[in-house]
């Protein structure tokens, strides 16, 4: 019998609430606003990418979703087809004094050298606030 348990995934870009690819999560549930430590967010124009940072205090803001397995398969294909790989990381809920942590999957860009050469660092660490 296939595993039908939803997964926790941390989204930091176009799949976040209000962003253009969020419709792909129609059967998934947003759990929390959250942050991950030790990553740098880059803009590639229409979409973002992250890679591990040399600064462990660097943070990326996003959202934790409990993702429907069928939706995960579609998103996984889209992300991996665009050059991303998946890691498991702790994501800390931002609006929670207890600092609830979720073990999440997150997509990072596979070619960090190219990303550093071509991308622009989003200094806020928050894709939604990139234009501010």
């Amino acid at each position: 019998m296939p595993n039908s348990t939803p997964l926790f995934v941390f989204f930091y870009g176009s799949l976040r609430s209000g962003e253009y690819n969020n419709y792909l999560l129609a059967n998934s549930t947003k759990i929390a606003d959250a942050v991950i430590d030790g990553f740098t967010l880059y803009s590639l124009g229409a979409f973002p990418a992250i890679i591990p940072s040399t600064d462990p205090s660097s943070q990326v803001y996003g959202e934790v979703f409990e993702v429907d397995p069928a939706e995960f398969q579609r998103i996984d294909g889209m992300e991996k087809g665009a050059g991303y790989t998946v890691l498991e990381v702790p994501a800390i809920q931002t609006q929670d004094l207890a600092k609830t942590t979720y073990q999440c999957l997150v997509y990072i860009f596979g070619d960090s050298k190219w990303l550093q050469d071509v991308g622009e660092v989003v200094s806020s660490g928050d894709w939604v606030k990139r234009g501010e």
Side-chain angles (χ1 to χ4, degrees), residues 10-22 33-36 39-50 59-63 79 84 115 118-132:
F10 178 84
F11 294 113
Y12 53 85
S14 68
L15 289 157
R16 285 175 69 178
S17 301
E19 294 295 312
Y20 63 90
N21 275 333
N22 183 253
D33 292 320
V35 64
I36 58 173
F39 290 88
T40 300
L41 177 66
Y42 289 83
S43 173
L44 290 169
F47 60 94
I50 65 170
Q59 295 183 312
V60 173
Y61 294 86
E63 299 169 343
E79 298 286 7
Y84 292 80
L115 183 61
V118 175
E120 181 179 332
V121 172
V122 178
S123 59
S124 69
D126 192 336
W127 179 252
V128 173
K129 296 180 179 177
R130 65 193 176 278
E132 294 179 8

Side-chain angles (χ1 to χ4, degrees), residues 19-89:
E19 294 295 312
Y20 63 90
N21 275 333
N22 183 253
Y23 74 94
L24 297 170
L25 296 170
N27 295 318
S28 297
T29 304
K30 179 182 170 185
I31 302 299
D33 292 320
V35 64
I36 58 173
D37 294 326
F39 290 88
T40 300
L41 177 66
Y42 289 83
S43 173
L44 290 169
F47 60 94
I50 65 170
I51 56 173
S53 176
T54 56
D55 178 0
S57 67
S58 180
Q59 295 183 312
V60 173
Y61 294 86
E63 299 169 343
V64 174
F65 278 80
E66 188 173 2
V67 179
D68 174 82
E71 287 179 341
F72 177 76
Q73 291 303 316
R74 286 190 298 276
I75 290 165
D76 192 56
M78 175 183 78
E79 298 286 7
K80 288 181 177 173
Y84 292 80
T85 61
V86 69
L87 289 178
E88 188 171 343
V89 298

